[in-house]
């Protein structure tokens, strides 16, 4: 539990650079911050589940919860492109394209 608490802010700070990929950077940063804050509710729900349901231990609840990141990893391995995308923007309507610095 200590490692999750210590690693959470570092993961959040790394995600802020993802906001540079979007035109509405402020909105994306707000959504990232809100989702990190809301994710802490998960641990409270798992603790309550293990304390109210006698057949579910805390270890079993976290093992069940670990299926979610595993599923996300499998989906992203299948859906993510193998090469980085090339962001191109129209250069003043002249028809030429220029590489946009991200």
């Amino acid at each position: 539990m200590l490692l999750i608490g210590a690693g959470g802010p570092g993961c959040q700070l790394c995600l802020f650079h993802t906001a540079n990929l979007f035109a509405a950077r402020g909105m994306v940063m707000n959504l990232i911050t809100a989702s990190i804050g809301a994710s802490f509710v998960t641990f409270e729900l798992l603790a309550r589940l293990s304390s109210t349901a006698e057949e579910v231990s805390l270890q079993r609840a976290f093992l069940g919860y670990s299926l979610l990141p595993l599923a996300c990893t499998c989906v992203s391995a299948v859906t993510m492109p193998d090469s980085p995308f090339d962001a191109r923007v129209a250069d003043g309507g002249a028809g030429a394209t220029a590489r946009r610095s991200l």
Side-chain angles (χ1 to χ4, degrees):
M1 191 67 90
L2 178 64
L3 291 176
I4 292 172
C11 294
Q12 180 183 8
L13 291 175
C14 291
L15 285 174
F16 283 153
H17 297 291
T18 306
N20 291 329
L21 297 173
F22 301 93
R25 290 183 189 128
M27 175 63 79
V28 173
M29 288 181 69
N30 285 335
L31 290 173
I32 290 171
T33 304
S35 64
I36 294 291
S39 70
F40 292 120
V41 174
T42 304
F43 301 113
E44 179 63 30
L45 293 175
L46 289 174
R48 286 190 186 203
L49 175 69
S50 67
S51 67
T52 57
E54 293 179 12
E55 64 274 356
V56 179
S57 66
L58 188 59
Q59 181 180 8
R60 206 173 257 190
F62 271 92
L63 283 174
Y65 175 68
S66 69
L67 294 177
L68 178 66
L70 179 64
C72 290
T73 301
C74 292
V75 168
S76 65
V78 172
T79 60
M80 291 282 190
D82 292 334
S83 60
F85 68 93
D86 189 20
R88 296 187 181 266
V89 294
D91 187 20
T97 56
R99 187 168 189 108
R100 191 172 124 193
S101 66
L102 297 174

